[in-house]
Amino acid sequence: MHRREFLRTAAVGGGAASLFASGGVVSNGAADTEPYRPLGRVAITNAKEAVVGNDGKTAFVATTDGFATVDIRNPKQPTVMAERHDLLAQRDGGPLLQIWDAKVDGDRLLVAGPANPIGSDAVHGFLLYDVRDPTDPKRVAFHETTFPIHNAFLKDDIAYLTGNDGDGNPLVLVNVSNDAPKEVGRWSMVDYDEDWGDVDPWVRTLHDVRVHDGRAYLAQWDAGTWVVDVSDPKKPAHVSHFGGRSPDDLASIPSSQEREAVVGLPGNAHFVMTNEDASLLACNKEAWDTDGPDTTGPGGIDLWDISDVTTPRKLTTIQPPKTDDPSYDLGASLSSVAAALSPVGVASGHDCHECGRGSSATGWTTSHNFDFVGDRLYTSWYSGGVKLFDVSDPENPTELAWWRNPSEAAFWTAQRVSDDVFIGGSMGQEGDGRGGLYTFPNRGGQQRNPPSLTGTGTASETTTSKPVTGGDGTTDSSDGGTSLTEEGRFGAGVAGLSILGVGVWKRFRG
């Protein structure tokens, strides 16, 4: 049965739903009664995005000043094979800073930076590495840009870049065949409809891009999800957009309220991915509570029926874990971190929305990057941990597993490796001790005595339709995870730097 048939018939009973297109993950009873916990982990200083190579044997981790390759063939003992740091250090404006994203396709690895605007004199662009031998990655190309690259995608010799230039914020397409990068195309919503030019670029940031079957799926923050035909990279064309606010609505936001609009819901389309036949789409919202009267965070994951992408239908929202304080705290300690990443005076008139910090012991629990394979969503929630969902009934997702240890891990991403394993990348910043790569069993289960995220002494902090949780809210070191103390303890944190920092555009471009 194909997904479209499922959506048309909705004829799924309890037994059928559990067997439907399971994507290789099965509930085998005996295994699911074992405490759910990581299989293994390895510390990686200042880790950000983590991706899995095509062969499922290697993970590639962006490390802020470079990247690391990790052998994951033995999930109980992931091992760093190679590290590269201070990339382009000898180049004018080098080294390349804020390398938060990495993408791999075949034997080529792309790493990009800086993730945010940090000054026009700093080097900007992406590097390509030959990773046929992951123990010895070799640089083969560099492509310079005039804009920061928060996220990118690499597929079939085309690099897709978030070209946030503070104007059109285009999707930029670069042909990288023969390791000779050359820009071949651009697309912007402003070119599609000039009314979007009246909207402050800050609120229509192109945050991320995913490409599947000749279509690019763009997360355009408060402007929602946009679908662009990139089958001809030289002539990208609009297909559809949905889930966002209108240009008139966004243009009418007073400048004094722009920060609240960018930090909180509604809006905040952050990461987008479809299933294999592009009949379902997941879009998460990275969001926090603001000072206004309405609850605006944290953000969850929306599931859409896009079997007809011109008339998409929202099916449900997977809610985030609850937290004591979902607010976005602009702490002084984090402002100093942001200052270290930017030239003096490059704070924005828009305020420094990328300089937040988790303001409670549990920190942020908004959704971050995820993976969508078969009928499984592999999700990350910063200090809220990682969660595995069955979405075979997309209107009623089932939570299969949840693991969290907020004192030690803040998950940036989760990605499937195989029928048996998925990875979770924990964000590290300035040697705070949280940076690392975890491996998890790709099955259902319950964490024994999980730590509470709300301070209420209960661990039943889920709002999914069929929760799989348990425990008494206390910490058990055997399942809460051993400490990654090689880098010290988590201090103020800078998870908020993942938004984008486009507030500095005006100075960056000047």
Side-chain angles (χ1 to χ4, degrees):
M1 175 183 288
H2 293 290
R3 173 73 64 181
R4 289 188 176 90
E5 295 174 17
F6 174 87
L7 293 169
R8 283 197 299 267
T9 62
V12 179
S18 64
L19 295 173
F20 175 81
S22 66
V25 183
V26 295
S27 175
N28 59 16
D32 287 3
T33 62
E34 298 176 3
Y36 194 85
R37 54 189 161 194
L39 298 168
R41 72 212 70 185
V42 61
I44 302 175
T45 303
N46 297 338
K48 297 297 189 294
E49 179 67 312
V51 293
V52 179
N54 297 62
D55 61 4
K57 299 176 181 179
T58 306
F60 301 89
V61 182
T63 60
T64 306
D65 68 346
F67 66 92
T69 65
V70 183
D71 185 345
I72 54 175
R73 288 175 294 181
N74 179 359
K76 294 183 178 180
Q77 193 172 5
T79 304
V80 174
M81 295 184 287
E83 296 180 87
R84 297 290 185 268
H85 301 288
D86 297 321
L87 310 184
L88 301 177
Q90 304 306 314
R91 190 182 183 95
D92 289 345
L96 189 64
L97 301 175
Q98 293 187 14
I99 301 170
W100 291 1
D101 196 32
K103 292 295 185 289
V104 65
D105 187 36
D107 57 17
R108 289 298 182 264
L109 172 71
L110 178 153
V111 293
N116 307 298
I118 60 173
S120 58
D121 57 339
V123 65
H124 293 64
F126 69 84
L127 290 148
L128 284 179
Y129 283 81
D130 182 338
V131 290
R132 283 175 289 187
D133 178 1
T135 68
D136 186 24
K138 297 184 184 301
R139 195 180 100 188
V140 294
F142 171 64
H143 179 76
E144 190 167 15
T145 66
T146 58
F147 49 83
I149 304 172
H150 197 69
N151 284 297
F153 197 74
L154 181 63
K155 189 172 182 64
D156 298 333
D157 285 333
I158 301 292
Y160 301 85
L161 313 177
T162 57
N164 290 296
D165 57 6
D167 188 10
N169 295 352
L171 172 68
V172 179
L173 297 83
V174 179
N175 188 315
V176 298
S177 59
N178 302 313
D179 297 325
K182 180 181 179 181
E183 182 177 322
V184 294
R186 289 191 175 206
W187 181 91
S188 167
M189 64 170 64
V190 176
D191 296 330
Y192 165 72
D193 182 347
E194 62 183 13
D195 286 351
W196 287 101
D198 296 330
V199 178
D200 193 302
W202 198 31
V203 297
R204 53 174 172 80
T205 297
L206 173 52
H207 186 273
D208 215 331
V209 54
R210 187 88 184 185
V211 178
H212 180 68
D213 283 350
R215 286 179 173 174
Y217 297 85
L218 313 182
Q220 296 266 189
W221 214 248
D222 282 7
T225 297
W226 290 63
V227 185
V228 177
D229 184 344
V230 291
S231 56
D232 181 350
K234 296 180 180 180
K235 297 179 181 180
H238 173 267
V239 175
S240 177
H241 63 278
F242 52 91
R245 298 161 69 179
S246 71
D248 289 344
D249 189 12
L250 293 176
S252 68
I253 298 174
S255 59
S256 61
Q257 297 177 18
E258 282 180 346
R259 177 189 172 275
E260 286 72 18
V262 170
V263 170
L265 298 171
N268 299 46
H270 170 270
F271 182 86
V272 183
M273 188 173 179
T274 70
N275 63 347
E276 283 85 343
D277 68 358
S279 59
L280 273 182
L281 177 143
C283 176
N284 77 321
K285 308 297 183 71
E286 186 182 37
W288 296 264
D289 211 7
T290 60
D291 296 331
D294 299 323
T295 299
T296 60
I301 303 175
D302 294 338
L303 294 179
W304 292 79
D305 172 5
I306 60 165
S307 49
D308 180 351
V309 74
T310 62
T311 57
R313 181 171 66 93
K314 185 177 174 180
L315 302 175
T316 191
T317 298
I318 296 174
Q319 299 294 338
K322 295 179 180 178
T323 179
D324 268 343
D325 186 357
S327 66
Y328 196 90
D329 186 353
L330 296 177
S333 58
L334 254 295
S335 295
S336 65
V337 172
L341 296 175
S342 301
V344 176
V346 186
S348 168
H350 285 112
D351 205 344
C352 188
H353 79 275
E354 79 275 21
C355 302
R357 62 181 170 94
S359 56
S360 67
T362 53
W364 293 341
T365 61
T366 186
S367 174
H368 207 245
N369 295 348
F370 59 86
D371 199 12
F372 193 173
V373 182
D375 287 321
R376 295 296 182 265
L377 273 178
Y378 304 83
T379 65
S380 65
W381 306 85
Y382 285 123
S383 292
V386 294
K387 290 190 175 192
L388 173 62
F389 290 92
D390 178 348
V391 292
S392 56
D393 178 353
E395 295 187 75
N396 297 285
T398 303
E399 182 184 299
L400 300 177
W402 179 16
W403 188 88
R404 63 277 198 197
N405 186 17
S407 66
E408 302 294 345
F411 285 97
W412 183 279
T413 192
Q415 285 210 352
R416 180 186 183 274
V417 177
S418 68
D419 289 355
D420 301 315
V421 177
F422 73 92
I423 61 167
S426 179
M427 179 187 71
Q429 182 68 34
E430 292 202 329
D432 59 26
R434 286 187 164 191
L437 187 74
Y438 288 68
T439 55
F440 290 94
N442 195 352
R443 62 167 176 82
Q446 296 185 42
Q447 180 179 0
R448 178 184 295 161
N449 299 326
S452 175
L453 300 175
T454 62
T456 61
T458 176
S460 57
E461 298 152 350
T462 180
T463 54
T464 52
S465 60
K466 301 174 185 176
V468 182
T469 58
D472 60 11
T474 61
T475 301
D476 182 336
S477 61
S478 64
D479 293 313
T482 55
S483 173
L484 293 178
T485 55
E486 292 89 336
E487 304 169 47
R489 290 303 298 268
F490 178 67
V494 288
L497 288 169
S498 67
I499 294 183
L500 212 164
V502 260
V504 300
W505 267 335
K506 292 182 179 178
R507 291 292 301 274
F508 173 72
R509 298 178 65 220

